Amino acid sequence: MKPANRIVATLLSLSLATLAHAQAPSAPAQPPAPPTLIGSIATRADWPQAKPEDVKSPEAILNAVYSVISGAKGQTRDWDRMRSLFIPDARLIPATTSSTSGRSDAVVLTIDSYIARSQGRMTANGFFERSIHNEIEQFGNIVQVWSTYESRHNADDPTPFTRGINSLQLLKDGDRYWIVNIFWDSESPANPIPAKYLPK
């Protein structure tokens, strides 16, 4: 075969192969898998129902969470009431600082791990926490609450044993609110609460 004929034959075979590939049926596209809502509000029919007055506003849910964790020595807390304020996958996150290394960290807790970690200390010593200054910002269905708190062992203690700031993220769901996260840090001599976050 002459060189020119070989070139023509090669080009023809390549063209036919390309055409055959283009006409071959392609595999049908698979639809994307739906998102898995693990532990979400929609999939937790067993989640405790909130009292409407506890969740009707950011101020109401903030007061409810302080109320439910507060109580005298030996008093059992209503943990189902607490659960009802939160989405099932909520997190409670204290910021910590090592006294030896000085490094900071975040301890990420589920609601149940927070309860397991806190209930013994609360009932053994008594624990009352209240807000003394709140700043609330909202856009659409998201809410940020910056809440300065004081903690006491007895409600009538003249001074708190600790203070700090709770950062709460809330979800507005129709006519109620849910707590999504609480992230907090305690006051210390090296980290005093700024005047702008204290009562005027």
Side-chain angles (χ1 to χ4, degrees), residues 48-75:
Q49 293 295 306
K51 299 175 183 178
E53 62 270 23
D54 278 352
V55 295
K56 65 183 180 181
S57 68
E59 294 83 359
I61 202 167
L62 182 64
N63 290 336
V65 76
Y66 282 125
S67 173
V68 78
I69 62 175
S70 297
K73 185 184 297 187
Q75 179 179 330

Side-chain angles (χ1 to χ4, degrees), residues 58 135-139 142-146:
E135 296 190 3
I136 300 174
E137 296 181 345
Q138 181 165 356
F139 172 73
I142 63 172
V143 184
Q144 164 69 33
V145 182
W146 197 252

Side-chain angles (χ1 to χ4, degrees), residues 19-174:
L19 182 61
H21 177 75
Q23 292 178 341
S26 59
Q30 295 297 318
T36 302
L37 302 176
I38 299 173
S40 71
I41 301 167
T43 61
R44 292 300 302 268
D46 62 330
W47 202 243
Q49 293 295 306
K51 299 175 183 178
E53 62 270 23
D54 278 352
V55 295
K56 65 183 180 181
S57 68
E59 294 83 359
I61 202 167
L62 182 64
N63 290 336
V65 76
Y66 282 125
S67 173
V68 78
I69 62 175
S70 297
K73 185 184 297 187
Q75 179 179 330
T76 302
R77 306 304 194 265
D78 184 351
W79 294 121
D80 270 350
R81 181 188 178 200
M82 181 169 173
R83 290 183 182 94
S84 76
L85 307 175
F86 291 77
I87 65 169
D89 280 342
R91 295 294 182 264
L92 296 100
I93 312 168
T96 62
T97 302
S98 169
S99 58
T100 53
S101 70
R103 295 193 62 180
S104 297
D105 202 354
V107 181
V108 181
L109 305 170
T110 64
I111 300 171
D112 286 338
S113 57
Y114 170 84
I115 291 168
R117 172 185 166 124
S118 305
Q119 63 181 343
R121 183 172 64 251
M122 287 178 173
T123 55
N125 301 316
F127 183 81
F128 290 85
E129 191 164 279
R130 68 185 185 98
S131 64
I132 59 172
H133 179 81
N134 298 317
E135 296 190 3
I136 300 174
E137 296 181 345
Q138 181 165 356
F139 172 73
N141 293 319
I142 63 172
V143 184
Q144 164 69 33
V145 182
W146 197 252
S147 179
T148 306
Y149 66 83
E150 292 182 339
S151 303
R152 290 171 168 80
H153 292 302
N154 300 291
D156 56 357
D157 286 347
T159 57
F161 68 86
T162 191
R163 304 192 307 179
I165 293 180
N166 286 316
S167 172
L168 296 89
Q169 289 73 51
L170 310 179
L171 168 70
K172 185 178 187 298
D173 173 26

